[in-house]
Every structure is written in C-alpha cells, then in structure tokens.
Amino acid sequence: MNHAILLISSPDSKGITAAITSFIANNGGNIIHADQHIDEQSNTFFMRIEWSLVGFQIKREKITEAFSPIAHQFKMTWQLHFSDQKERVAIFVSKHLHCLYDLLYRYRSGQLNCEIPIIISNHPDAADLAKDFEIKFHEFAVLKNNKIEQEKKQMDLLKQERIDLVVLARYHQILTSAFIDSHKNQIINIHHSFLPAFAGKNPYLQAHQKGVKVIGATSHFVTEVLDEGPIIAQDTVAISHRDAVEDLVRKGEDLERVVLNRAVRLYLEKKILCYGNKTVVFD
Amino acid sequence: MNHAILLISSPDSKGITAAITSFIANNGGNIIHADQHIDEQSNTFFMRIEWSLVGFQIKREKITEAFSPIAHQFKMTWQLHFSDQKERVAIFVSKHLHCLYDLLYRYRSGQLNCEIPIIISNHPDAADLAKDFEIKFHEFAVLKNNKIEQEKKQMDLLKQERIDLVVLARYHQILTSAFIDSHKNQIINIHHSFLPAFAGKNPYLQAHQKGVKVIGATSHFVTEVLDEGPIIAQDTVAISHRDAVEDLVRKGEDLERVVLNRAVRLYLEKKILCYGNKTVVFD
Amino acid sequence: MNHAILLISSPDSKGITAAITSFIANNGGNIIHADQHIDEQSNTFFMRIEWSLVGFQIKREKITEAFSPIAHQFKMTWQLHFSDQKERVAIFVSKHLHCLYDLLYRYRSGQLNCEIPIIISNHPDAADLAKDFEIKFHEFAVLKNNKIEQEKKQMDLLKQERIDLVVLARYHQILTSAFIDSHKNQIINIHHSFLPAFAGKNPYLQAHQKGVKVIGATSHFVTEVLDEGPIIAQDTVAISHRDAVEDLVRKGEDLERVVLNRAVRLYLEKKILCYGNKTVVFD
Amino acid sequence: MNHAILLISSPDSKGITAAITSFIANNGGNIIHADQHIDEQSNTFFMRIEWSLVGFQIKREKITEAFSPIAHQFKMTWQLHFSDQKERVAIFVSKHLHCLYDLLYRYRSGQLNCEIPIIISNHPDAADLAKDFEIKFHEFAVLKNNKIEQEKKQMDLLKQERIDLVVLARYHQILTSAFIDSHKNQIINIHHSFLPAFAGKNPYLQAHQKGVKVIGATSHFVTEVLDEGPIIAQDTVAISHRDAVEDLVRKGEDLERVVLNRAVRLYLEKKILCYGNKTVVFD
C-alpha cells in the first residue's frame, strides 16, 4: 500500500499540528504514523507524518500544490515523499568490504527500500562482489594529481544514474567541497569511532593507544569539516586490555555494519531531519 | 509551568488526530509533546498529548466537559491529567532494601514528581531508612492465618492516604485478588529476571543453574496471575561462568533499581497505556 | 606461529596449575595465554592454556604421551589442540539465510579459522549462495516418512567429509537422538530468543504476543531436549510497542548473526568447556 | 576465609607462571583465582593470583621475604595483599551527591570491602548525608588564594587517617601536582563523558551541542594532565534528539554511579594494574 510522507520543520506556533492533521483528515487521509518534536532552545517544530493514499481525495501529483498554502502560512521547510518511490543509492568503498557486503545482503533480501545501481571505488577489490550482486562497478583510481578530475567524472556518473544518496561504506578518500556541496545532506559516512573521539586516521589504533574500555562507530552526514557532520547513529561495544588492535578492528567492524545500516535505513524511510549540525531521528 | 495531558485509546478512525489537535488549537493551547501509535492488529489508536495551559481558554476544571463530545464521537477511553498534580505513592518492601533506597534517593533529589507518604512492609528492616527520609513506616507482619486481615488494613491505609500508585520494591508477598482488583494497573512490581523466563521464586538461582549468559529485570503491572502482568520496562546485563549466585544478585540488583525507577517515572509522567496484556510506553 | 592448546577439567586439587605450567616451562615452552576457573559448588577446576611450540622440546606428536602421566595423576578430562589444525565445519540451513550469509562472509574474509566444505539443507534456497562461495551444497528434503533415512545419509556425508563441527544456522528440523549422540558437544544451534524464554516455534511471535521490551538470541550446544542444551552465547536488544513482528524479526536477525558467529568462533578457538548442562567460556 | 593476592608485572619470560604457581603449591597453598595477560607490544607479563592461606606453610608476615628471590629473578614489580585487610577510603565531593550516595549505600550494605572514615568537600552540601552514615565530614572551602594551603591540610588529614584510596565522586576542584604525586595511582575520578571526548567542563552540555547519539561516563586514575589518566571503566547509554541537557544529566548520573562503583570495587579487590597510561583490569 502506498503512503505519503511529510517531513516538516518550522518555527513552532499554535495550531500547526492541527493544521497539518486537518489537511489530511479533511481530504480523507488515514494517518499511519505521526511523530513530532519541539526543540525548546530554538523554538523549532519538527514533524514526520505518514498517511495512506487509499481514499485520499487529492491526487498525488497535486498534493504539493494543495499543501503549499499551509506550508507558507507556518513558514515550513518541508519535503513530500511517497513510500513507493525508491531512492537511488551509490555506494563508495575502498578496500574494507564488510560494510558493502552487509548493505548488499540487506538490499538483496529486501530490507532496504532502494535501488543500488552503482558501486564506486578507488581500488579494484570490490569488483567481484559487485559482479556477484549484478551491480555496475566503477573504479576511479585517485592519485595526487587527478583527484579533482576523477571527482568530476564521479559527479557526472551520479547525475547520469540519478543518484539520491551516496553511502561512503569505508571510502578512504576525502571528498572536495565541490562534491559535498552538490549533495548536501545526501552523503552518509561511517566513521569507526565514537565521534568526536578519535576523528581522522586509524581510530582503532588511537583507541588502543589511549586504553579506552569501549569503542564505537558513528554514522553521519558528510560536511566540509572532516568527521564533523550531523550524527545520525552511534553505538559502542565494551573492550578490555586483552583486545589487541586487530580485535578492536574485528569488534568494531561488527558495529560499523550495524550503525551504517541503521543510518541508511532511516534515510530511506525518510526519518531524518537535519537542523544546525544535529539531526532529529524519528525512529 | 502547568501542562494538561490527555492519554487516549480508541478504535482507529480517520480524523481522530485532527479532532484532538484542533480541540487544543481552537482553544488557544500550545502542544508541547504529542506521540501516537496505531496497533495494526487490533486497529487501535493510542495517543499521549501534552499542551501548555498558558493562554488556554478553557478552565482546567471545565476541560473534561469540553472534551467529552469528541471522546464520545470517537469512542475513546481517556484520562486527563495535569502536570502539577502529584501522584501519591506507597512503597511496599520486604528485606531487600536496594530498590527502596534508590527510589527514596531520587524522590529526595526531585527526580520523581510524586508524594511518598508511606512505606509498608511485612518486616521491620526498612524502619530506619523510612525515618531518615521522614516517611511514615507501617509494619504488617504477614502470617499464614492473618493475610486477608492484614491486607484489609493495608487497603484501608491506602484509602486513607489517598494512594494512587503502589510500588512493590521487592515485596515478597503474593497479593490477593481483592487487593489487586481494587488497584487495577496501579500496582507496579519489579521481578528480578527477564520475564517470562524465571518467574516465581529465586530467579537468580534459577538463572545460575540454567547457565544463561545474560540476566535481567522486569517491571510490570501486577495482575492476578503471578509475574504475568503487562510489562513496562526490561533490561539485561551480560554474565559469565565466573559469576556465582551472589554475583548475579549484585549485578541484578543494579538492574532492578534502574528498571523499577524507569517504570515508576514513566507512570508518574503519564506515559504508559495498557491494552490487553501489553503496554504502550511513550518515552 | 603454531601454538599448542590444552583444555582441561578435573577435580580441583593443590598443585594442579603448578604441574601444568611446570610441564610447559620445563620443556621450554612459552605460555601465550592462560585462563582458569574453579567452580566452587562442584569443586571443579577448568583451564585453557596456550603455548608457543617455538623452542618446545617435545615434538607435537609426542605431547599427548608426555602429558598423560600428569593428566592421570590429577584425574583430568583433557583435549590437546594445535592452532594450525583447522576444524572442518558443516553448516545446516533451511530457508532463512542471514546466518549462513554472515558465516560465509567471515569465512571468506579469514575471520574463522576453519574449513567449510559442505552446506546441507532441507530446501534448495541456499544453493546459489553456496555456489558463489564455491562450497558443495547438498539438499536432503525431509518428509514425514524419510527423516531417519535422510539423517543417515547426512551422517554418512559428515563422516566422509571428516566434519568436526555441525552449525545449525537456522535449520528448522529437529534432529534425532542418533544424530545428536554421534556428535556430542559438536552441534551448535542458534535459537531466536533469550532462552529459556520462548523455546520452540515462532519465538518472535511469542515475544510480540507477550509484550516483552527486550528480545534476544541464544547459541547453544544441541542435546536431546529441544532448546535445552548448554548455552554458549546470548545477547539481547531493546524493542518497543512500535515494533511489529516483522521488526522483531529484522532486529532479531542482526542479533542471531552476532551471537551464532561468537559461539562458532569461540568453538574454533577452543575456548569452550562443557560441564553438566553449562559452559565455561574462556573469552 | 583469608586469601593472599599477588599482583605482578614483569618482562615476559619462560617459566614465570610455573615459578609463581610452584611457589604457592610447594608451600601448600590452594589457588582460588589466577589470571594473566601478556602485552605483546611491550612483551610485558601481568598476573593476579589469589590463594587460600588455609594450610599455607608460610606465615603471612614472612611471605614477602619468601617470595622476594623469585620476584628478583624475574625482575617483577609486585604487590602482596590480603583479603582481610580493608583499604581506608576518603571520598571527595562537591555539590552533586549522587555518586557519594551510591557509594555510601553500597558501603553500608557490605558490597565494598573497605573503611570510609572521612568525606571531604569544598561545600557544606554533603554534611547531612555524612551524618546519616556516621562518617566524619570535613569542609575545606577552596578559594583562589587558599588552594595550596587547603590542600596541605587535606593531605595532612589523609595521612592522619591512613587513607589508601581517594575517590573523587564529582569533586569539582583540580588537584595540584603535589597532591597527585603523593597518591600515585591512588586517586580515582569519575568524569561524566566517554573520554577522550568531552574532557573538561560541562561535558553534558558539550554532548548536547554536538548532537551525539550516545553519552558515557569514565572512571580513571588521576594524573597531572586533566582527564587524561589511565582509564579503569567506561560505559555508555543511548540518547536521542528528545533528550534536553537535563535529560542527559539524569541519564548520565545513572551511568556515573555504576561506572565509579565498578572502578572502586575493582580497586578494592586488587584487580587493577597500571602500565604506561593504560590499565589491565582482571575482572
């Protein structure tokens, strides 16, 4: 069954929920899920509302037009989605394939409501895996002097494939501002630490040297400042002095898979709203 | 600031959210929190909505009357609460005082929005603690032949003290149906296992004999079937072969405190709705 | 580097650790790991000790003979392993392939120190996956009237392939006593609940109907009583009223993969000792 | 029953475990617990071994002398403890009393094997609580110009009370080097974040501003660099956008109590060894 989903943020004001839910009710819609949040510091209202299109009296291509006056009245920033529209996802990966593998397994078993037409890498390692899953594989070897050029080709490819979401599943290249700006809040990265601790290179080695008793993984939107974008999901696992760096890698990879998958699924289900450098996650 | 809270369950039908939120908006109320859930199996709608009474045009003593037509139209079961009304809580305890201690600490430090006028026990052990916290202590020694009699006195006392919630903080007596029926969904128990495993006596011993690798604690409403009432909160902790029964007790007691406190707090914040033998917890 | 591993259980007595470690030291061995446990209830001593064979003066094929007098003196039950000996593993699966998939990924990426020569199923669903990983796939359709016959063929196959460990990665057939007896403490199952709760069929449905707030997964050795064998690993995850049965399945499958993998890895690293209906896990 | 405990670190070498366990066995001791660890990077051996003094042929006051030749031979750094010797603990606290309260409850209920003769504070808030528990309370108001003077008085008091362990249970003063140096690896602090993230002031506010999805608590030995000493215990808890700073404080305080108690208990049970800026924790 097809559903419409509204994702809304706006200044908080009296009557906003009533206005939105009355719009749905008056047009014969049946609400399936509704969740809202008010950030008291900034007096901002956030809502995710999902309703069945069965019996809804406005055609889906007319909903935007019909809802616009309400949105305008309450100064909303808003997105309208339909549950039958599949996002198109590109996965970027380097040599560590565990997150890619996990996403592909979930994709094939129907857990991820998306299309994954392409896998992009700066190394050839994922080619066989892409082949097993019948997904196009593109290798763009990135050298010191060809980075901007290669990125341009990547951006062209993303455009051509009509990609809505870029997932960096352990892609070990820093993207340029040009790339990031052209996909604002559309690039999800997995970092293998509980940020803000251990940003940058070799977080498992950093964690081992520091002697922490938990390690973590963080999935976040990519912004221009490395490992600083809005956090979507995080999790941690206990470790001990017995764990060598390679044990941290093994335990951490299990976390990375879970955390990245959680972030990607939340994105595909339209459950994430960004504000400032933070996220509202309607889970 | 004072808030009104509606807790609603009803058959799901189109327009119900709009009707509720319009009632609030049309009377000048500002929604602070709203959360809803639809149980698809039983087609039941659940809602918790909280709004500020600042600027609300209906006097608080008139809200029930004003909301009744809507409630009637949608066949709602509903409760109206006000955040400035403190529930009156009686704590029952036997010889293990860790949960009592924890609740009293949180009560004194202002974490629990309630009054705790009395502590009831079948043993004298908690008398000193009650005195430290300046709470009346009543001992009702329960013997084979005086149980019904003692319970009657307890019920009289609860009535006299206008008790809204009974918390069994490791009270090792089985309550009679008469007692339970007179406080439907108003008695919260902590059981020291992850129910439905290890119901009944000595759950830590049972867990040790079984050789499980996690233990748990469960907070639930008390119904006539022992350890079978609607579950409010549960949590678990990892154990190993190194843990003797006394280690399970120690680790488990830390869980019990957290889980019972969570359930009591949720109750006091009017965040729990029962349906069938389950709960909706708006946390 | 090759290591020897002794797994020992015996009645506890003075001098046992000194006898074992002196045996290793006097023959030039360097201990890499040593862990011991004393079960006070039964006065049983358990030890896992691992030492480097570099510079060890007893040839590996003579260690059993050399150690036997000490073992005899202290009435030990003991096993000697070498880290370069790879166990041979058969995976049994039905239609849910997530655990199989996960084990195969870890196998291919070198995380599991074993050989997996065969996958056995009562359905054809895993055939393609086996092919991708270049592992022999054997389908034994099990009907009411051919179960014993099919099991015999399976047992012949396990013998022929010299299988050391059978992993039931969601294999939905109950094994006969004949099969179980011939592989005592060599069959690991994953059950999709926190046992002893929700044994038997449809544990996620049972959990949903009960309204629990955590679900779990349990990996255990298979004994004749269904879902009652010694528990190796367990874990749990929080759920809420929002989770429908299919959400429990999705969240639970992530647990199952982690818990089964943990049990298999512990087995392959010779870190599990059974006693009574429980396990000592040297992790 | 009284036990002896040896805590040992040394360069790793062949025969060290055999030498230690033979020393115990040859003198009629029965090992209760033994745990060892080898740090491969630094080739360091760590051991904690605990044996019953029942039947042990060396008098307790002669064990140091008897063991010294072995210690010397293997270049050990070592400590000998007896389980019947109670450490003397001073708790330092400022205005947040939740950790103090928790430690005192556990102390009174017999969970902590120690004496707590004094509580020290720079504020009067904890005086009543100290009185309830019949513990001496000393207030040392710390101003800009009297810090060194006040610390000297504190140090005198610690000496006079023969204090073995200082617990900073949310003591909001930075200690001077003189104080720290005089109690090396004898001062345990609780910091309300998962270090190294959010060191310094207001970690819950920092966490809220950063928008993390987990918060944590860290217990560590105090060294001269603020919040940088060897970590003993850490734990984390999930949060969401719904949690305001005061919710982080509430959830975090529950963590702090658990994490600080874990560290203190490990210390009192002689289960912690420091090396470099890290700890080995034999739990």
Side-chain angles (χ1 to χ4, degrees), chain B residues 53-66:
Chain B
L53 292 177
V54 175
F56 195 60
Q57 291 156 9
I58 306 175
K59 285 184 186 161
R60 62 192 280 173
E61 59 274 18
K62 297 282 184 186
I63 297 175
T64 294
E65 189 185 328

Side-chain angles (χ1 to χ4, degrees), chain B:
Chain B
M1 285 198 303
N2 196 19
H3 295 172
I5 299 158
L6 273 172
L7 269 178
I8 295 165
S9 61
S10 76
D12 190 26
S13 60
K14 289 187 182 181
I16 187 164
T17 307
I20 297 162
T21 55
S22 296
F23 168 79
I24 296 167
N26 294 342
N27 291 295
N30 195 29
I31 296 169
I32 307 297
H33 295 295
D35 203 353
Q36 65 178 67
H37 172 64
I38 292 150
D39 182 62
E40 293 184 16
Q41 286 186 309
S42 62
N43 200 38
T44 309
F45 171 89
F46 302 92
M47 188 172 214
R48 181 188 186 280
I49 193 159
E50 180 172 350
W51 71 97
S52 170
L53 292 177
V54 175
F56 195 60
Q57 291 156 9
I58 306 175
K59 285 184 186 161
R60 62 192 280 173
E61 59 274 18
K62 297 282 184 186
I63 297 175
T64 294
E65 189 185 328
F67 188 70
S68 286
I70 296 167
H72 189 256
Q73 179 191 347
F74 287 96
K75 300 192 174 101
M76 294 175 184
T77 305
W78 61 295
Q79 312 161 32
L80 176 68
H81 299 277
F82 298 98
S83 60
D84 64 356
Q85 282 180 330
K86 292 195 175 188
E87 305 273 330
R88 290 176 65 81
V89 178
I91 304 180
F92 283 53
V93 70
S94 293
K95 294 184 158 208
H96 292 90
L97 305 183
H98 54 287
C99 286
L100 174 64
Y101 210 92
D102 189 64
L103 288 170
L104 293 182
Y105 166 69
R106 293 175 193 276
Y107 173 52
R108 183 150 81 180
S109 62
Q111 282 184 43
L112 296 177
N113 182 33
C114 66
E115 299 291 340
I116 304 182
I118 50 170
I119 294 167
I120 288 173
S121 182
N122 55 334
H123 293 287
D125 306 55
D128 286 352
L129 192 51
K131 201 175 171 187
D132 277 3
F133 283 86
E134 301 175 357
I135 297 174
K136 282 172 277 180
F137 179 77
H138 298 266
E139 186 185 342
F140 295 90
V142 179
L143 305 167
K144 276 190 184 167
N145 55 359
N146 74 346
K147 182 164 191 158
I148 290 170
E149 193 183 332
Q150 292 291 62
E151 261 201 6
K152 269 189 194 152
K153 287 184 198 162
Q154 291 173 347
M155 283 191 275
D156 287 345
L157 183 59
L158 297 183
K159 207 165 187 177
Q160 183 188 317
E161 293 281 358
R162 291 167 294 118
I163 295 301
D164 303 296
L165 174 67
V166 171
V167 176
L168 307 183
R170 297 290 302 270
Y171 180 63
H172 294 173
Q173 287 290 325
I174 297 175
L175 301 172
T176 66
S177 303
F179 191 108
I180 294 167
D181 289 349
S182 67
H183 299 84
K184 192 171 155 58
N185 293 345
Q186 292 181 314
I187 310 171
I188 294 178
N189 184 45
I190 180 74
H191 184 75
H192 36 316
S193 80
F194 51 86
L195 290 172
F198 310 130
K201 286 207 171 175
N202 287 330
Y204 293 128
L205 182 60
Q206 291 182 57
H208 189 259
Q209 287 170 342
K210 176 67 189 165
V212 289
K213 301 297 185 189
V214 291
I215 58 170
T218 304
S219 190
H220 62 94
F221 286 116
V222 173
T223 57
E224 292 195 28
V225 189
L226 186 67
D227 298 333
E228 285 277 349
I231 293 170
I232 304 165
Q234 286 188 297
D235 212 341
T236 61
V237 67
I239 58 163
S240 83
H241 63 272
R242 296 196 184 282
D243 292 300
V245 176
E246 59 264 28
D247 298 308
L248 301 199
V249 170
R250 179 175 50 76
K251 292 185 176 183
E253 286 187 357
D254 281 1
L255 269 190
E256 294 169 38
R257 304 193 303 172
V258 168
V259 170
L260 179 58
N261 168 61
R262 196 187 304 162
V264 170
R265 197 169 44 77
L266 289 166
Y267 185 93
L268 298 178
E269 296 176 353
K270 327 293 182 201
K271 291 186 170 168
I272 312 172
L273 268 170
C274 285
Y275 70 109
N277 202 42
K278 299 164 75 168
T279 60
V280 169
V281 174
F282 291 116
D283 57 350

Side-chain angles (χ1 to χ4, degrees), chain B residues 98 101 105-106 133 257, chain D residues 98 101 105-106 133 254 257:
Chain B
H98 54 287
Y101 210 92
Y105 166 69
R106 293 175 193 276
F133 283 86
R257 304 193 303 172
Chain D
H98 55 286
Y101 210 94
Y105 165 70
R106 293 176 193 276
F133 284 84
D254 281 0
R257 303 193 303 172

Side-chain angles (χ1 to χ4, degrees), chain A residues 115-179:
Chain A
E115 298 292 340
I116 304 181
I118 49 169
I119 295 167
I120 288 173
S121 183
N122 55 333
H123 293 287
D125 305 56
D128 286 352
L129 191 51
K131 201 177 171 187
D132 277 4
F133 283 85
E134 300 174 358
I135 296 173
K136 283 172 276 180
F137 178 77
H138 298 266
E139 186 186 343
F140 294 90
V142 179
L143 306 168
K144 277 190 182 168
N145 56 358
N146 74 346
K147 183 162 188 160
I148 289 170
E149 193 184 331
Q150 292 292 61
E151 262 201 6
K152 270 188 193 153
K153 287 184 197 163
Q154 291 173 347
M155 284 192 273
D156 288 345
L157 184 59
L158 296 183
K159 205 165 190 179
Q160 183 188 316
E161 292 282 359
R162 292 166 292 120
I163 294 302
D164 303 296
L165 174 67
V166 171
V167 176
L168 307 184
R170 298 290 301 271
Y171 181 64
H172 294 173
Q173 287 290 326
I174 296 175
L175 301 171
T176 65
S177 304
F179 191 108

Side-chain angles (χ1 to χ4, degrees), chain C residues 247-264:
Chain C
D247 298 309
L248 302 199
V249 170
R250 178 175 51 77
K251 292 184 176 182
E253 286 186 358
D254 282 0
L255 270 190
E256 294 168 37
R257 303 192 304 173
V258 168
V259 170
L260 179 57
N261 168 61
R262 196 186 305 161
V264 170

Side-chain angles (χ1 to χ4, degrees), chain A residues 175-185 187 222-224:
Chain A
L175 301 171
T176 65
S177 304
F179 191 108
I180 293 167
D181 289 349
S182 66
H183 298 85
K184 193 174 155 57
N185 293 345
I187 310 171
V222 173
T223 57
E224 291 195 29

